[in-house]
Amino acid sequence: GTRDIAARFPNVRILDQNRALIAADGRITDFAAMRNESIAAATYDWILVVDADEGVPASMRDEVRAIIENNEPGVFIASRKFVVNGILIERCSGYPSEQIRFFHRSQTHGYVKAIHERLHVKEGVLQRRMQTPLPIPLPPRAELQPKYDRYLALEVQRVGTKPMAWWLRWVLYRNLRGALGLTLRTLWIRCTPGGPAMPLDYEFAYIRHMLRTI
């Protein structure tokens, strides 16, 4: 219902997605290119990136307004906090989960990488952190596996064939190290007191995804 909600506001302009970046099943095939088209279409220079399943807390809205009014171009990192079944997850093996979500486009070269896209910040630009975490609702556990499968298929297509030395370093070693680290952190979280922890089935679903990437 994102389009219907956005259409209620007179200052919102709705743009159709570039169909060249959409697969037959309606899924995005190049996330960086899609984000870059959005940036190019923006009327103003300050960009706040929010996906359709996310929301912006009032405190983040106020923080964004204050930064814009200060009128000093910059790049700002948001700390993401996952939400599962309406519960804000305070402890997760993947924390800190940070992304650049607010920036002045004069400070960047746009997004790179078709999958797991990231913003290419210009050399010498200072990256600052926002005060307010961005809540990220996660879908039901049963919907995660098809999502991971899509990402994996797109990643295989993007990478193609690489030398064995590249695979050993950037796939085997990196993913084994990552999976081991997440497993140890998951166990540590379960053995220590604290706020709401990420459910184990979510934790192990991502660890399994990392291993399947190998």
Side-chain angles (χ1 to χ4, degrees), residues 59-75:
S59 54
M60 178 171 284
R61 176 201 63 199
D62 295 341
E63 186 177 357
V64 164
R65 178 183 288 119
I67 292 171
I68 292 175
E69 290 175 349
N70 188 46
N71 199 30
E72 181 182 348
V75 170

Side-chain angles (χ1 to χ4, degrees), residues 24-90:
D25 62 358
R27 304 288 182 177
I28 297 174
T29 59
D30 190 330
F31 290 89
M34 191 69 80
R35 293 229 190 265
N36 288 334
E37 290 202 353
S38 299
I39 294 173
T43 304
Y44 300 102
D45 289 328
W46 282 103
I47 308 293
L48 176 65
V49 178
V50 184
D51 288 340
D53 59 348
E54 300 170 355
V56 177
S59 54
M60 178 171 284
R61 176 201 63 199
D62 295 341
E63 186 177 357
V64 164
R65 178 183 288 119
I67 292 171
I68 292 175
E69 290 175 349
N70 188 46
N71 199 30
E72 181 182 348
V75 170
F76 295 84
I77 300 170
S79 174
R80 306 189 306 159
K81 287 291 185 73
F82 299 118
V83 178
V84 178
N85 298 325
I87 299 174
L88 184 69
I89 303 300
E90 297 291 349

Side-chain angles (χ1 to χ4, degrees), residues 1 11 15 62 79 90 104 113 117 210:
N11 61 328
L15 303 176
D62 295 341
S79 174
E90 297 291 349
H104 194 283
K113 294 184 64 179
E117 73 282 6
M210 294 190 72

